[in-house]
Amino acid sequence: MEVIKLDMETFMSLFSLLRPLVVFFVSFSVFHVMLCRFVGARKLSGNDYGHGPPTYPIIGCLISFYKNKTRLLDWYTELLAESVTNTIVVRRLGARRTIVTANPDNVEYILKTNFSNFPKGKPFTEILGDFLGYGIFNVDGELWLAQRKLASHAFSTNSLREFVVNTLEEEVENHLVPVLERSAETAVVVDLQELLRRVAFNMICKVSLGIDRCSLDPSLPVSPLDRAFDMASEICARRGAAPLFLIWKIKKWLGIGSERKLKDAVREVHAYVAELIEDKKKKIGTGDNEMSSNQQDLLSRMIVAGHEEEVIRDMMISFILAGRDTTSAAMTWLFWLLSCHPEIERELLKETSAMAPEKMLDFESLKKLKLLKACICESMRLYPPVAWDSKHAMEDDTLPDGTPVTAGDRVTYFPYGMGRMEALWGKDRFKFKPSRWFNYNRLGGSLKEVCPYSFPVFQAGPRVCLGKEMAFIQMKYLVASILRRFEIRPVSSNRPVFVPLLTAHMAGGLKVLVHKRDVLR
Ligand code: HEM
Ligand SMILES: *[C@@H]1O[C@H](CO)[C@@H](O)[C@H](O)[C@H]1NC(C)=O
Ligand SMILES: *[C@@H]1O[C@H](CO)[C@@H](O)[C@H](O)[C@H]1NC(C)=O
């Protein structure tokens, strides 16, 4: 489509032209809803099944929604806690009927039992489609299944695990530790979240693309790929949060504003990834990719397997998005929680130091770090990197707790709220208490098997996060190597704020001072 360039004035006049349209659209939907209500003559209480926010005809829960706009996570959590089955129905003018659940039976039903009735759905894939194309993250049905099979194969090989650990070692010893040492010597404040984010970005670039581009040095800007990625994902996240769907569609159609930027950013990402694929193909063609098969990145594996270029490109983009901000957010919250719980930090230090100092962390020794695993899970229980995730019902259905689902409804499972349900975690649910992950709630025993539908931070069922194991390896390795060498002290004693976008993070990062520990124990 031709892109129309507009100056501000034409834009404003265009906007006033559009205004009657918007007014018409809104009054039409009000009329439409009224008509439906009249015909259906439904009585509205909290809502028509179980609990929910105060709901009125036509506007739904619009009023309380706007009042609670800045604290939606906690508002939903409170409402869910009040509901007998930990499930609520939210109806609001301008949004589709949404069922939010923190009930493990419902979650299992949506994510596994009747998986095929709860795809991501068009409302979701449309928002991310321009950026992610037909990548695994953004498709349903056959398109998804084919990529899932392909990628699970690549992800599950033991050699990949070794590759991940070797890559981590290189990244930590040669890049991360020097940066932290320098900041310890000069007593300069660093943003730990940004530093960990860059490490995670490098890791995912190396493991999936086989490249090394971004610098960890906080005084240097991020790589162009990282920046374009940031831009594209942020604009997509804002698309999803826009009060009126029409607005971004119009902007896209006109090729202006944020949609213009999105287009440029996506073009940049595409060109860059395409170039990498070309390079890699040449190397493989000339036998120059001298790495042995157990040191290979995902891109090489995909090319050797003979997949189409566009499929590979979209898949790589999905991987980068999935692996970029999630682990860094989880680790940042853990470091903050540890700083508030010195007694646990001491125990953890004991565990990670128990390995001889000269011993590098290999895949086997990482498996033995049980308390560390418990701490990571406990941190993600309270601050899940993906706070909520939605599906869209294909057909009418009924959830196990009796909540009726209508075709087209948004059905949201809610890890953040689930981590805070008394029914699941007991009275001390708000407390950071790693011992709850051990049998008999005692540190040092064996770890409990926790039902994935009660703790769906990685989702669960057929579409469970593909990078789950890789993420644990990465987080354990990084937290253990930082903790053994450095003391991390946040400079502010204020409680950080949890911001859920596409993925959640700590608002403003985590500013810390770094001290070297006396002995490398
Ligand atoms: C703590 C870190 C992580 C968390 C909490 C997490 C969580 C999730 C969640 C909730 C989903 C489902 C999203 C949805 O379907 O809407 C998902 C999917 C996925 N994740 Fe992760 N993730 C993490 C790290 C990673 C890493 C490091 C990778 C590596 C590349 C990765 C790769 C993927 C992929 C490829 C999918 C799509 C799977 C599919 O649709 O079949 N994740 N992850
Ligand atoms: C949030 O919504 C509830 C209804 O669920 C309402 O009573 C309350 O006033 C709202 N909170 C704020 C901060 O306005
Ligand atoms: C699953 O969903 C379909 C609609 O697609 C519905 O007819 C069926 O009753 C549901 N239940 C089970 C257990 O499959």
Side-chain angles (χ1 to χ4, degrees), residues 88-257:
I88 56 172
V89 179
V90 182
R91 253 186 283 103
R92 159 169 73 90
L93 180 65
R96 61 184 62 231
R97 184 170 181 265
T98 301
I99 295 161
V100 184
T101 188
N103 177 323
D105 293 335
N106 287 351
V107 175
E108 179 165 4
Y109 187 79
I110 299 158
L111 298 183
K112 188 177 83 178
T113 317
N114 220 356
F115 176 74
S116 57
N117 196 31
F118 298 96
K120 291 203 166 185
K122 202 162 163 254
F124 179 90
T125 55
E126 202 172 37
I127 286 174
L128 287 172
D130 290 311
F131 182 27
L132 297 182
Y134 292 105
I136 183 167
F137 218 74
N138 209 42
V139 287
D140 288 311
E142 282 303 312
L143 273 175
W144 165 76
L145 190 62
Q147 288 189 61
R148 175 84 192 187
K149 281 188 185 148
L150 205 78
S152 337
H153 186 69
F155 264 91
S156 66
T157 47
N158 256 317
S159 53
L160 187 69
R161 278 171 216 147
E162 256 168 56
F163 175 51
V164 170
V165 176
N166 294 342
T167 314
L168 273 165
E169 187 184 317
E170 212 263 336
E171 185 72 18
V172 167
E173 300 303 327
N174 299 350
H175 301 287
L176 180 63
V177 167
V179 167
L180 288 173
E181 266 172 354
R182 217 172 316 134
S183 94
E185 279 156 19
T186 52
V188 167
V189 172
V190 282
D191 178 354
L192 188 66
Q193 181 168 254
E194 172 61 16
L195 193 57
L196 291 171
R197 205 186 65 78
R198 289 191 188 194
V199 174
F201 183 70
N202 281 0
M203 276 304 296
I204 198 73
C205 280
K206 280 187 192 163
V207 172
S208 59
L209 300 169
I211 56 154
D212 181 7
R213 286 296 156 97
C214 180
S215 169
L216 293 183
D217 188 337
S219 62
L220 293 177
V222 295
S223 76
L225 177 64
D226 195 7
R227 208 188 45 231
F229 233 93
D230 234 12
M231 174 79 82
S233 49
E234 196 187 321
I235 295 171
C236 288
R238 273 199 252 117
R239 268 181 175 182
L244 267 183
F245 215 56
L246 257 180
I247 306 259
W248 73 256
K249 292 226 157 167
I250 294 169
K251 285 208 286 192
K252 179 181 168 187
W253 183 66
L254 295 171
I256 55 170

Side-chain angles (χ1 to χ4, degrees), residues 160-381:
L160 187 69
R161 278 171 216 147
E162 256 168 56
F163 175 51
V164 170
V165 176
N166 294 342
T167 314
L168 273 165
E169 187 184 317
E170 212 263 336
E171 185 72 18
V172 167
E173 300 303 327
N174 299 350
H175 301 287
L176 180 63
V177 167
V179 167
L180 288 173
E181 266 172 354
R182 217 172 316 134
S183 94
E185 279 156 19
T186 52
V188 167
V189 172
V190 282
D191 178 354
L192 188 66
Q193 181 168 254
E194 172 61 16
L195 193 57
L196 291 171
R197 205 186 65 78
R198 289 191 188 194
V199 174
F201 183 70
N202 281 0
M203 276 304 296
I204 198 73
C205 280
K206 280 187 192 163
V207 172
S208 59
L209 300 169
I211 56 154
D212 181 7
R213 286 296 156 97
C214 180
S215 169
L216 293 183
D217 188 337
S219 62
L220 293 177
V222 295
S223 76
L225 177 64
D226 195 7
R227 208 188 45 231
F229 233 93
D230 234 12
M231 174 79 82
S233 49
E234 196 187 321
I235 295 171
C236 288
R238 273 199 252 117
R239 268 181 175 182
L244 267 183
F245 215 56
L246 257 180
I247 306 259
W248 73 256
K249 292 226 157 167
I250 294 169
K251 285 208 286 192
K252 179 181 168 187
W253 183 66
L254 295 171
I256 55 170
S258 57
E259 289 296 319
R260 171 82 204 225
K261 281 193 211 147
L262 175 64
K263 209 169 165 197
D264 293 343
V266 169
R267 197 185 295 124
E268 204 177 324
V269 172
H270 278 184
Y272 194 79
V273 176
E275 193 187 307
L276 286 169
I277 299 177
E278 273 316 303
D279 282 358
K280 189 76 80 182
K281 270 188 177 162
K282 277 195 205 120
K283 274 192 191 149
I284 293 173
T286 58
D288 206 14
N289 207 28
E290 76 282 358
M291 283 183 267
S292 63
S293 68
N294 64 354
Q295 288 179 309
Q296 260 176 18
D297 49 88
L298 286 168
L299 178 54
S300 304
R301 288 164 201 255
M302 296 288 161
I303 292 174
V304 172
H307 297 288
E308 263 175 68
E309 182 152 333
E310 257 181 41
V311 173
I312 301 180
R313 181 196 71 196
D314 287 349
M315 193 121 138
M316 291 302 131
I317 293 175
S318 273
F319 284 167
I320 297 177
L321 184 75
R324 207 174 70 113
D325 298 343
T326 40
T327 50
S328 52
M331 289 184 283
T332 303
W333 284 101
L334 177 55
F335 277 110
W336 174 72
L337 285 164
L338 289 174
S339 76
C340 309
H341 297 270
E343 72 294 350
I344 295 171
E345 187 177 307
R346 265 194 305 277
E347 286 298 314
L348 194 55
L349 192 58
K350 260 192 238 159
E351 185 187 75
T352 53
S353 311
M355 281 171 288
E358 67 279 9
K359 181 157 181 194
M360 285 303 173
L361 293 162
D362 58 19
F363 183 57
E364 288 305 313
S365 50
L366 285 177
K367 275 202 220 154
K368 295 186 194 122
L369 297 172
K370 282 186 285 185
L371 177 57
L372 181 51
K373 176 151 191 200
C375 287
I376 293 171
C377 289
E378 183 67 348
S379 158
M380 290 196 295
R381 176 180 73 84

Side-chain angles (χ1 to χ4, degrees), residues 165 168-169 172 361 366 473-481:
V165 176
L168 273 165
E169 187 184 317
V172 167
L361 293 162
L366 285 177
I473 294 175
Q474 199 186 106
M475 293 188 286
K476 281 176 161 179
Y477 193 102
L478 286 168
V479 175
S481 17

